[in-house]
Amino acid sequence: MRLRMVAVAVMTGALVLMGASTANADTEGHWWEVSDWTFSPPASTAAVAVPGSVGFPAAELVSNTAGPSGPATGASAWLGAWTAPGEVYGSSQNQQYLSLRPAANNAASPSTSTYTFEHPTPAGGWMLAVGDIDAEFLDVSALDADGAPVPISELGFGSTFNYCDGSPRPSTCGASRPWLVPDWDSTTGRLAGPSEDENGEEIPGWTDSDGAAAWFEPTVSLSQITVTATWREGFPAYQTWSAALSRDVTGTVGSADACEVEGLEVTIRRGTDDVATTTTDDQGQFGFDDLATYDDYVVTIEPGEGCRVVGPTETAVDLSENDGVVNVELETVPDDEGPGTGEPGDDAPAGQDGSRTSGAGTVPATQVLPDVGAPSSGLMGLGVALVLLGLLTLAVGLGVPPSRRRTPLPASAR
């Protein structure tokens, strides 16, 4: 059947925490939701999303399963918090799962159930689990972000386990059956029903065993993952769950100057896509909750008028392992700095057209000012007067005819 992916909504403003069990102080586990199930063999479809992990890609499921007609509620079959995946993602009780089958009850009619993501997944921080493995073989395969086949080692096989072998125990578990685990072949990527009983003795053929399960946490970014179910005996059906982690980003905008820190717009994005936007509170604090575990987020802050960010204007955030913290400091823009700032060593800032400002006003970029101090008005007036007097004296002297010029008498004739 063919499952249609549901896009995870991108929320504007502070993200709202959506219900899930806490795996540890840094993470929240969220289980998938299945919608728009259309059972129409040989091509059935459904939409799968993990809305509690903001930004985690929705997926389209396409399957040629022979049944059943829709997702199960998780009230009678679930993965307890004590199971291996439950320790990371919390209990799946009352969370939806899919029960899928081979295409027909013969070895020549396997079913393929392929989940195609709307954009590549994180390289970690999510899982796929399968259960009730006994009368079928399950082969798991995947494509990476570029569409290339993923090596089995990068499928992130976690472990085999039995979800009936603990407490609380799902009601679907029989009262007296042995709680066996399936076999995993790391060379072929195949899961098979238990081959040994509870005492380690070989089981001939196959046996019906409730709760036999396994889980995977892929270690590379995936664009697609497929489970192929091949009939072995009887009327097999297997279960499928998925869950994703989320982490938070918190931060504070501060300023030692007079910059306003309240009501500033803060945006977190991946690549060119805005994931969410919020504003700072009266203390300059902000936060983004329940983000998918990508390692390439960027946070930007829009300072108020007359202020700027000290240092880089963008802050990279990696949520692949832990929550993120972003602290930013603002400072006022100096009065002598505008859209264009003079080069170091200049005596005055340059305008956008290359002009410069000095005590004499704005000077075109082609005019060069001498690097001298400004004279006082009194000295300037005296200097001008002396120059004029000298010029007048010279002019008078040059204007007297030689015959009328007086020749000084010798001292003896005085």
Side-chain angles (χ1 to χ4, degrees), residues 197-351:
D197 63 19
E198 66 273 26
N199 299 316
E201 299 293 331
E202 183 177 353
I203 300 173
W206 71 281
T207 184
D208 186 12
S209 176
D210 292 338
W215 67 303
F216 300 82
E217 279 188 305
T219 59
V220 296
S221 180
L222 300 185
S223 61
Q224 188 178 93
I225 190 167
T226 298
V227 180
T228 301
T230 303
W231 177 87
R232 188 178 179 185
E233 283 284 349
F235 301 92
Y238 71 95
Q239 302 151 339
T240 310
W241 295 265
S242 187
L245 297 177
S246 69
R247 296 192 171 97
D248 303 335
V249 175
T250 56
T252 302
V253 179
S255 177
D257 297 340
C259 292
E260 181 62 60
V261 298
E262 180 180 5
L264 303 180
E265 183 175 279
V266 186
T267 301
I268 187 166
R269 71 174 189 271
R270 291 188 60 240
T272 59
D273 297 328
D274 289 352
V275 177
T277 300
T278 188
T279 55
T280 56
D281 65 14
D282 60 357
Q283 300 298 312
Q285 297 178 341
F286 65 90
F288 300 101
D289 297 336
D290 294 339
L291 299 174
T293 57
Y294 290 101
D295 62 0
D296 57 352
Y297 291 100
V298 172
V299 172
T300 58
I301 294 169
E302 189 66 32
E305 184 177 356
C307 295
R308 64 186 178 188
V309 175
V310 178
T313 59
E314 297 183 341
T315 303
V317 180
D318 182 349
L319 298 183
S320 61
E321 298 292 339
N322 298 292
D323 287 349
V325 177
V326 176
N327 292 320
V328 175
E329 190 73 15
L330 302 181
E331 66 180 1
T332 55
V333 179
D335 293 338
D336 61 351
E337 291 188 19
T341 302
E343 294 295 326
D346 287 349
D347 62 344

Side-chain angles (χ1 to χ4, degrees), residues 321-402:
E321 298 292 339
N322 298 292
D323 287 349
V325 177
V326 176
N327 292 320
V328 175
E329 190 73 15
L330 302 181
E331 66 180 1
T332 55
V333 179
D335 293 338
D336 61 351
E337 291 188 19
T341 302
E343 294 295 326
D346 287 349
D347 62 344
Q352 292 182 348
D353 60 355
S355 63
R356 297 164 51 76
T357 303
S358 72
T362 299
V363 183
T366 56
Q367 182 175 343
V368 179
L369 292 179
D371 191 9
V372 297
S376 66
S377 58
L379 290 176
M380 179 178 290
L382 178 61
V384 171
L386 290 174
V387 170
L388 291 176
L389 179 61
L391 291 174
L392 179 60
T393 302
L394 178 63
V396 171
L398 292 175
V400 178

